[in-house]
Amino acid sequence: MKQAVSTSVTRRSVVAALALAAAPVAVSMGADNAYAQAKQSTPEKSLYERLGGVFAIAAVVDHFSDAVVKNPIVGQKSKNPQLREWHTKNLGRLPGLKFMRTLWVCNVSGGPYQFTATKPGTTPLGLEEAHRDLRISPAEFDEVAAELGRTLDFFKVPKKEKGEVLAAFAAHKDEVTAGYGSGR
């Protein structure tokens, strides 16, 4: 028993001595270098964590979804008859859509929730099939992205995270607009 205690104390003493010896080196390297080294050893949080997790994401999705319904270009007064109909006659489905959008954002931002397409398509997320009948044009997609940007600003999402969310959204433009031009 005595040997284990003395070994433990010896190890602590060595660690303490090393820490004291390293302190002047860190100071002499300059605060910026020490900060950079500390930052490198700490893994960056996922986008999901930086956005505030599921509850913060759900609040953003709720606000965004309601804003899209009211948006004059892609919502209830849209010139696109499919979007106009969805945003006037299918609002009973909006709570489910908000849920699915929340799962999607949680999934693509590195969170613990898994999004599974309700209409599987050729892409992993199946967004082309879910949106095909809406015949969304590239310009309409861009307006929805702009609405998302305004929502992120409303919630004061930092610039870096806002950029990452918008990039994740934009990455699926071809899928979402796959039905455009088919019978419009």
Side-chain angles (χ1 to χ4, degrees), residues 6-175:
S6 66
T7 304
S8 175
V9 171
T10 303
R11 285 186 186 142
R12 278 192 215 130
S13 300
V14 170
V15 169
L18 286 172
L20 287 173
V25 173
V27 170
S28 69
M29 290 173 62
D32 289 341
N33 287 341
Y35 174 76
Q37 285 182 341
K39 191 173 179 181
Q40 286 176 354
S41 64
T42 306
E44 186 176 357
K45 291 181 177 181
S46 69
L47 177 58
Y48 172 83
E49 293 169 307
R50 290 180 283 131
L51 289 172
V54 67
F55 295 104
I57 291 169
V60 169
V61 168
D62 182 59
H63 184 276
F64 162 73
S65 297
D66 291 344
V68 169
V69 169
K70 300 291 184 204
N71 183 292
I73 297 170
V74 295
Q76 293 174 326
K77 297 183 190 240
S78 176
K79 291 179 182 176
N80 175 332
Q82 290 77 19
L83 286 176
R84 187 175 56 247
E85 181 177 337
W86 200 100
H87 289 111
T88 55
K89 296 181 180 175
N90 292 309
L91 290 180
R93 294 185 61 183
L94 189 58
L97 179 59
K98 289 178 179 183
F99 174 75
M100 295 301 290
R101 285 175 174 164
T102 299
L103 283 178
W104 184 84
V105 174
C106 288
N107 189 178
V108 300
S109 65
Y113 303 100
Q114 185 65 44
F115 171 85
T116 303
T118 55
K119 291 182 177 181
T122 57
T123 60
L125 297 178
L127 298 179
E128 73 280 9
E129 293 310 319
H131 296 88
R132 186 173 305 282
D133 293 341
L134 296 174
R135 300 185 183 125
I136 297 169
S137 72
E140 290 164 340
F141 180 93
D142 293 344
E143 180 58 26
V144 174
E147 195 66 67
L148 177 57
R150 289 188 288 272
T151 297
L152 295 169
D153 289 342
F154 176 83
F155 282 95
K156 297 177 177 40
V157 172
K159 185 177 182 177
K160 178 182 177 185
E161 286 74 16
K162 177 184 175 182
E164 290 178 48
V165 170
L166 291 174
F169 186 82
H172 300 281
K173 184 174 184 173
D174 288 345
E175 297 163 56

